[in-house]
Amino acid sequence: MAVLLHTTTADLLLRPEHVPKAQFRIRCNFSHALKDDPIVFPGQPGKSHLHDFLGSKITDAHTTDARKLVGSKTTCGLKADSAAYWFPSMFMRTNEKNAQGQYVYKHLKPNWTLFYYRTSVKNPEAIMPFPRGFRMITGNPFAGNKQANDMANVEWWCGARGKHGNDFPHQKCPAGDQLIGKINFPVCWDGKNTDSADHRSHVVHIPLNTTCPSSHPVPLPRISIKVYYPVDTDLDLTWPDNGIKGNPAVYLSTVQSGGTGSPFEYHSDFINGWDQKVLGRLVRKCINRNKKCLVQEDNV
């Protein structure tokens, strides 16, 4: 039976189903790219490496007051989701070379991104909505050429049947397919601070189907991101042993700020700009009741 939730901003048609993992999903499109990071470098435009921004269309280095995000225009399929999401930009090698004989790379904008709000704890009925103004970071932009041990679970694969791995796929990704990246946010909150000095300490990752530690006792929805990048030419995605010097098919913008540009350096940031009433209802109706919900988009 469909459950129609009436809100102040939109009607959300939810179709609950009995599934092992409670969740709802929001689809968001690319908004803009800037060398900004309002969490790490607030008020300092151009200080960061290039990021792709999704969700609220107004996010930039000066987005220090999350209240300004609420109700702003959004690239997400649900108007109530005007949160700010961003991750490092991807660059793809072209067949062109510059005057120095070096390959020319172009910014590879994602086709779309799916944001899954899920449960990962034993007690989904205890999960709380993100509080107003909440912000956090996941992943390690300076992981280098090895997987960071931070439980962000970075994964990459090519196409629907591609093999998943922490590295870019050691295979050819054919033209017309998609390169897909995935990363998870922490799920346990200290219950007090909406941010911390390192933007990480107020939240922690935990293994699936466990409980939050006493230091971070409040479970939150686990945001799991899947980013879909277009592949318009056959790509050999194997990451070279000598990194960026080996002219990889793709690399991350982290190289602009001292990183290696490797797939292990994928990371993401989040500032809560949701309509709190809508977010609260989705958490109660879907996650707390251990249901999988299909959310009817109202911002197509």
Side-chain angles (χ1 to χ4, degrees):
M1 179 182 294
V3 178
L4 187 63
L5 298 183
H6 296 283
T7 74
T8 57
T9 59
D11 288 337
L12 311 179
L13 182 60
L14 303 179
R15 299 170 183 171
E17 302 170 7
H18 292 281
V19 294
K21 292 183 180 179
Q23 70 174 36
F24 60 90
R25 188 190 75 184
I26 306 295
R27 172 172 165 160
C28 303
N29 294 323
F30 173 85
S31 175
H32 57 282
L34 293 169
K35 286 188 174 182
D36 290 359
D37 190 323
I39 291 182
V40 179
F41 299 110
Q44 302 177 70
K47 182 75 172 178
S48 180
H49 50 265
L50 192 69
H51 285 109
D52 290 347
F53 289 86
L54 300 90
S56 176
K57 295 182 178 181
I58 66 171
T59 312
D60 61 18
H62 301 289
T63 306
T64 55
D65 186 350
R67 291 174 296 182
K68 294 181 179 179
L69 295 174
V70 180
S72 62
K73 290 185 178 181
T74 179
T75 65
C76 296
L78 193 65
K79 292 178 182 178
D81 184 3
S82 51
Y85 308 96
W86 64 96
F87 39 75
S89 299
M90 178 85 74
F91 288 90
M92 184 180 74
R93 188 183 66 225
T94 69
N95 292 323
E96 300 177 21
K97 291 187 177 182
N98 59 23
Q100 290 74 40
Q102 300 169 324
Y103 280 105
V104 175
Y105 284 78
K106 69 176 183 179
H107 179 202
L108 190 62
K109 300 175 184 177
N111 281 332
W112 63 78
T113 301
L114 299 178
F115 294 86
Y116 293 84
Y117 283 66
R118 291 170 164 161
T119 179
S120 61
V121 296
K122 282 185 176 180
N123 51 332
E125 70 280 357
I127 292 175
M128 301 288 292
F130 294 102
R132 296 179 190 275
F134 187 87
R135 58 192 67 205
M136 61 179 170
I137 297 174
T138 190
N140 183 356
F142 303 107
N145 290 316
K146 61 181 180 179
Q147 175 65 18
N149 185 25
D150 63 359
M151 295 181 69
N153 300 123
V154 174
E155 290 184 75
W156 296 94
W157 65 97
C158 176
R161 299 181 181 179
K163 183 179 180 180
H164 293 220
N166 304 126
D167 198 349
F168 289 139
H170 288 227
Q171 66 182 77
K172 287 188 177 180
C173 198
D177 221 325
Q178 295 185 100
L179 173 62
I180 304 167
K182 178 186 175 184
I183 191 168
N184 298 320
F185 277 90
V187 297
C188 295
W189 175 43
D190 65 13
K192 301 175 183 178
N193 303 293
T194 56
D195 197 0
S196 50
D198 62 358
H199 316 294
R200 299 173 184 270
S201 299
H202 59 304
V203 285
V204 295
H205 290 276
I206 59 169
L208 287 174
N209 300 317
T210 57
T211 55
C212 288
S214 58
S215 61
H216 296 74
V218 181
L220 300 170
R222 182 185 68 167
I223 301 179
S224 181
I225 302 176
K226 288 184 182 179
V227 189
Y228 294 76
Y229 295 95
V231 175
D232 55 14
T233 186
D234 292 350
L235 296 177
D236 183 349
L237 293 166
T238 303
W239 183 253
D241 291 337
N242 59 343
I244 197 72
K245 294 181 180 179
N247 298 313
V250 292
Y251 69 85
L252 297 177
S253 61
T254 50
V255 73
Q256 298 171 351
S257 54
T260 65
S262 81
F264 306 112
E265 295 183 340
Y266 212 50
H267 58 282
S268 187
D269 300 54
F270 166 75
I271 300 178
N272 180 21
W274 273 84
D275 179 315
Q276 285 297 120
K277 290 184 179 179
V278 176
L279 178 61
R281 290 192 180 195
L282 285 168
V283 171
R284 290 195 306 273
K285 296 290 186 180
C286 305
I287 295 178
N288 293 157
R289 295 184 182 181
N290 204 28
K291 308 287 186 182
K292 180 179 180 180
C293 296
L294 301 178
V295 179
Q296 180 175 301
E297 296 184 342
D298 62 357
N299 191 34
V300 181

